[in-house]
Amino acid sequence: MEQEQLLKELLSKSDRSFTLLYDNYSKSLYAVIFNLIKNREEAEDVLQEAFVKIWNNIDSYNESKGRLYTWMLNITRNTTIDKLRSKGYNNSQKNHSADNFVYMLEDNSKTVNKIDAIGISRFIKKLKPKCIQIIELLFFQGYTQQEASEELEIPLGTVKTQNRNCMNELRTMINE
């Protein structure tokens, strides 16, 4: 379904539009969440929360500022980061059994396949090493730009500029 037609459906708030939205985007958004959280149940909860936010805020989407998927990805990523930073989540992570760590190691290889399934990794691999590093930190590891600046030991403004340039380069590759 074309983005414009899906957007019209979403703005009408029909039951069908939510189903279309979920069917078209749930797998790729889940892959992004799971890559950050690494817990199936928590990732499913965050996915549900993200879809509720997307559904409730669809009126605020501005087509001139970017693609619908990018807007939804930002909501999903921010929802995931909010979850990771919450006190409840941090407290629940303190008492994991050894089984959970085995599960995380086993599922980690599947995460790469999920990211590959949404087709992003093949484009990212074509970017300059600096872009790969920034995108990895910001989008796949959930770092803020400030945290990435500290990790890479470069000024915050440089991270912001490089991120914008890298995203533009990635967008150009995807649109070709």
Side-chain angles (χ1 to χ4, degrees):
M1 171 177 277
E2 293 286 327
Q3 179 177 315
E4 293 170 14
Q5 187 177 354
L6 177 59
L7 188 56
K8 285 179 188 177
E9 287 276 341
L10 289 171
L11 291 170
S12 75
K13 298 282 187 172
S14 69
D15 291 341
R16 177 179 181 258
S17 64
F18 187 83
T19 302
L20 288 170
L21 178 72
Y22 189 84
D23 289 348
N24 284 315
Y25 296 102
S26 62
K27 288 180 183 175
S28 60
L29 294 178
Y30 177 82
V32 171
I33 296 166
F34 190 83
N35 193 41
L36 295 171
I37 290 189
K38 309 234 187 304
N39 177 296
R40 217 175 266 150
E41 289 174 7
E42 294 284 348
E44 288 170 359
D45 288 345
V46 172
L47 180 66
Q48 182 177 358
E49 188 178 335
F51 269 106
V52 168
K53 285 181 181 181
I54 290 166
W55 180 255
N56 289 335
N57 295 303
I58 192 64
D59 295 332
S60 69
Y61 168 68
N62 184 342
E63 207 169 354
S64 67
K65 291 186 178 180
R67 297 177 51 170
L68 179 62
Y69 177 74
T70 306
W71 179 79
M72 291 188 311
L73 184 62
N74 284 329
I75 289 174
T76 302
R77 191 175 152 276
N78 291 339
T79 302
T80 306
I81 291 169
D82 289 347
K83 178 71 170 184
L84 289 170
R85 291 182 177 163
S86 72
K87 261 187 189 175
Y89 181 80
N90 287 324
N91 287 339
S92 74
Q93 298 303 300
K94 290 179 182 175
N95 298 318
H96 282 301
S97 69
D99 292 342
N100 189 51
F101 292 104
V102 172
Y103 158 79
M104 286 169 49
L105 289 172
E106 288 172 354
D107 258 15
N108 194 28
S109 63
K110 295 176 188 171
T111 303
V112 173
N113 293 335
K114 289 176 186 172
I115 293 169
D116 283 342
I118 61 175
I120 293 175
S121 66
R122 67 184 168 105
F123 291 108
I124 292 173
K125 288 176 184 173
K126 295 178 184 177
L127 294 171
K128 294 176 236 164
K130 194 59 142 179
C131 286
I132 294 170
Q133 191 176 29
I134 287 175
I135 289 172
E136 173 69 26
L137 290 175
L138 295 176
F139 293 96
F140 296 117
Q141 293 184 23
Y143 280 52
T144 64
Q145 290 180 337
Q146 180 63 45
E147 291 166 341
S149 166
E150 293 165 6
E151 176 73 21
L152 299 172
E153 298 177 349
I154 57 177
L156 177 60
T158 304
V159 170
K160 289 180 178 184
T161 301
Q162 287 181 350
N163 180 40
R164 185 175 43 254
N165 292 342
C166 294
M167 293 310 291
N168 285 337
E169 189 176 328
L170 185 60
R171 191 174 296 118
T172 301
M173 269 192 250
I174 291 171
N175 290 330
E176 288 178 347

